[in-house]
Amino acid sequence: MTCCRPSDPTVSRLITLLSADTAAVLTAIETARASARAAAWEHAGQHSPDHGITAQNPIVIDLDATLVTAHSGKESAAPTYKRGYGFHPLMAFVDHGTGGTGEPVAALLRPGSAGSNTAADHIDVTRKALAQLRSTSSIRPGKSVMIRTDGAGASHKYLTWLQGQRVSYSIGFGLTDAMVTALAEVPEDAWSVAVDAQEKVRDGAWVIDATGIVDLTTWPTGMRVIIRKERPHPGAQLRFTDSDGLRLTAFATNTIRGQVQDLELRHRRRARCEDRIRVAKDTGLTNFPLHGFDQNRIWLAIVQLALDLMAWTQMLGFTDHDARRWEPKRIRLRVFSVAGRIARHARRNHLRLSKDATWSQLIVAALTRLAALPAPA
C-alpha cells in the first residue's frame, strides 16, 4: 500500500506560504478539525470518547508539556530546564480510556525557556481544547468534562479559572512542610489501602482524603486534596517532603462523590498522556524542521492533523480489534506497509492485497467499515 508523497522542498514552500498569515491559517485548521471530530465521534457511536459521559464518568482531557530539541539556531529556540536547547510545547489530548488511544485537541508551541507551571499557557491550551469539544452534540460545559494534569497545573490562577469554567479537574498538588507535619498527626487507621490498575489491593500503598487535615484556605472553594503514601521502588530517592521512608504524592480535585481509591486511580491514569506524547514524537514532533517560529507553529498543527487521522482511523476501522491501541510504528509496519496493487475494473478502483499477507483480513475489514460510513455533507 503506497501513496504519493510531496518532496521536502514542496512541503517547506507550502508552510512558508501559509505562515504569511499564521493566525488565520491556524484558526481555519482548528475549525475544520472541530467539525471533523464531531462527525467522527458521531459515526463511532458507542466507541466514541463522549459515549455515555456523566459527572461520574467524564470525558478526560490530559495536559502535558514535552521538550523538543533543536539542533540549529531556530527562531525562539532557547535553553531548557534540562540544560538542553529547543522548544517546550504544551499539548492537550482526549483520553480514549483503556480500550483506545487518544487524540490531540490543542497545542501551544513555546520556547524552551517557557515555565512548566505557567498558568496563562495552561488556560490558553485548555480553552482551545474545550472549543474543540463544543462542536460535538453531547458535550456541554460542566462536570462531564475533566481536566487532568500534573503538578505544573497546580496554580491558584489556573484552578480558579477551571472553577469558573465549571469543569471537573484532577491536578497534581505539591505538599508543603506544614502539610506534611499536619499529616504526621493522622492515625494509621485513617488511611485506606490503595488499588492498582486492575483495581485490586496494592500492597504497600495507602490513600487518604486530606481536605480537612491540611490548610486549603487560600485555594478555590470545594477543592479536595487526596494524598497517597507508598513504599518507594528499590533505588528511588526520597524527597524532603517524604515522611518515615514513604513516598508522598498528592493531587487536587473538585469531584465530590466517589471512593478515594477510585479517584486516586483515576488520577494516576494520567500517565497515559506520556504515551500520547511518545506517539506524537513518532508522528513528526521529534523535531521542528523549519527555521521560523510561525512556520513551526503550522508544523505542530500538521502533526496534530496526522494524529487525528490516525486516531479516527483506529476508532472507526478497528473497533473490535486490539489494533485500535497500536502505536504508529506497529500500525505502519502491519497495516500501512503491506504490499498492494491498485486495479481498475468496471470503472471502479480496487485495492488488491495478497490473501496470504498476515494482516490482510484486518485491513479489508477496516476498509469495509470506513467505506460504509456516510459521505460528508
Side-chain angles (χ1 to χ4, degrees), residues 206-229:
W206 304 266
V207 293
I208 191 173
D209 185 345
T211 306
I213 301 171
V214 299
D215 182 11
L216 301 177
T217 53
T218 62
W219 293 91
T221 304
M223 189 183 89
R224 301 169 64 189
V225 170
I226 295 175
I227 299 176
R228 171 190 176 98
K229 69 176 182 179

Side-chain angles (χ1 to χ4, degrees), residues 31-235:
T31 301
R33 289 177 61 215
S35 177
R37 193 181 320 280
W41 288 11
E42 181 180 359
H43 291 324
Q46 65 177 350
H47 299 288
S48 68
D50 64 338
H51 177 71
I53 62 170
T54 62
Q56 288 71 42
N57 181 40
I59 186 170
V60 178
I61 300 176
D62 285 316
L63 271 66
D64 203 0
T66 186
L67 297 176
V68 178
T69 300
H71 298 284
S72 61
K74 302 181 187 300
E75 183 182 1
S76 296
T80 69
Y81 69 94
K82 287 191 175 181
R83 300 182 180 181
Y85 182 80
F87 299 94
H88 194 191
L90 177 63
M91 304 188 70
F93 299 86
V94 168
D95 182 22
H96 285 190
T98 56
T101 55
E103 56 191 273
V105 283
L108 177 65
L109 182 59
R110 307 183 299 169
S113 57
S116 297
N117 61 341
T118 305
D121 292 347
H122 280 77
I123 291 173
D124 186 15
V125 170
T126 305
R127 183 183 286 114
K128 291 179 180 178
L130 294 176
Q132 285 287 308
L133 300 191
R134 289 193 179 101
S135 297
T136 64
S137 59
S138 60
I139 302 293
R140 294 293 181 270
K143 297 300 177 64
S144 60
V145 177
M146 187 180 77
I147 306 300
R148 187 169 61 184
T149 186
D150 56 16
S155 65
H156 289 77
K157 183 177 180 180
Y158 184 51
L159 289 174
T160 301
W161 183 84
L162 289 176
Q163 185 180 35
Q165 299 300 304
R166 298 183 295 123
V167 298
S168 298
Y169 59 78
S170 184
I171 310 289
F173 191 80
L175 297 174
T176 64
D177 291 338
M179 292 178 179
V180 174
T181 300
L183 202 62
E185 304 298 326
V186 177
E188 288 298 321
D189 57 6
W191 293 81
S192 303
V193 292
V195 295
D196 59 17
Q198 286 71 43
E199 300 186 13
K200 297 180 180 179
V201 172
R202 170 68 181 271
D203 184 39
W206 304 266
V207 293
I208 191 173
D209 185 345
T211 306
I213 301 171
V214 299
D215 182 11
L216 301 177
T217 53
T218 62
W219 293 91
T221 304
M223 189 183 89
R224 301 169 64 189
V225 170
I226 295 175
I227 299 176
R228 171 190 176 98
K229 69 176 182 179
E230 63 181 336
R231 300 190 187 100
H233 299 293

Side-chain angles (χ1 to χ4, degrees), residues 230-377:
E230 63 181 336
R231 300 190 187 100
H233 299 293
Q237 293 184 345
L238 295 176
R239 296 164 294 190
F240 288 112
T241 53
D242 292 332
S243 177
D244 297 329
L246 298 175
R247 169 66 54 84
L248 296 177
T249 55
F251 69 97
T253 182
N254 60 348
T255 301
I256 299 174
R257 299 179 181 177
Q259 296 290 330
V260 65
Q261 296 98 326
D262 295 335
L263 298 179
E264 195 270 337
L265 175 60
R266 183 183 71 176
H267 180 74
R268 279 192 291 115
R269 284 176 171 157
R270 190 203 69 81
R272 285 200 288 254
C273 191
E274 299 292 338
D275 298 335
R276 308 284 75 77
I277 293 290
R278 183 175 62 250
V279 166
K281 292 195 172 183
D282 286 339
T283 317
L285 195 63
T286 303
N287 57 64
F288 289 99
L290 301 159
H291 173 76
F293 189 72
D294 283 341
Q295 292 173 311
N296 285 322
R297 289 174 64 196
I298 294 175
W299 178 265
L300 182 57
I302 293 173
V303 170
Q304 292 180 84
L305 284 169
L307 292 170
D308 278 336
L309 292 174
M310 182 81 76
W312 298 337
T313 298
Q314 291 175 277
M315 182 172 64
L316 297 171
F318 304 120
T319 54
D320 302 316
H321 194 277
D322 191 53
R324 180 173 175 180
R325 302 179 65 252
W326 287 353
E327 293 192 2
K329 290 181 180 179
R330 178 172 294 184
I331 202 168
R332 286 175 191 144
L333 176 64
R334 296 183 174 181
V335 177
F336 298 155
S337 299
V338 172
R341 180 168 58 88
I342 301 231
R344 186 167 179 81
H345 175 71
R347 298 183 179 181
R348 297 182 62 184
N349 292 326
H350 299 268
L351 173 63
R352 301 193 182 280
L353 304 175
S354 171
K355 64 180 180 180
D356 297 325
T358 305
W359 304 102
S360 60
Q361 292 184 355
L362 174 66
I363 296 170
V364 170
L367 290 175
T368 302
R369 289 194 187 98
L370 294 175
L373 297 175

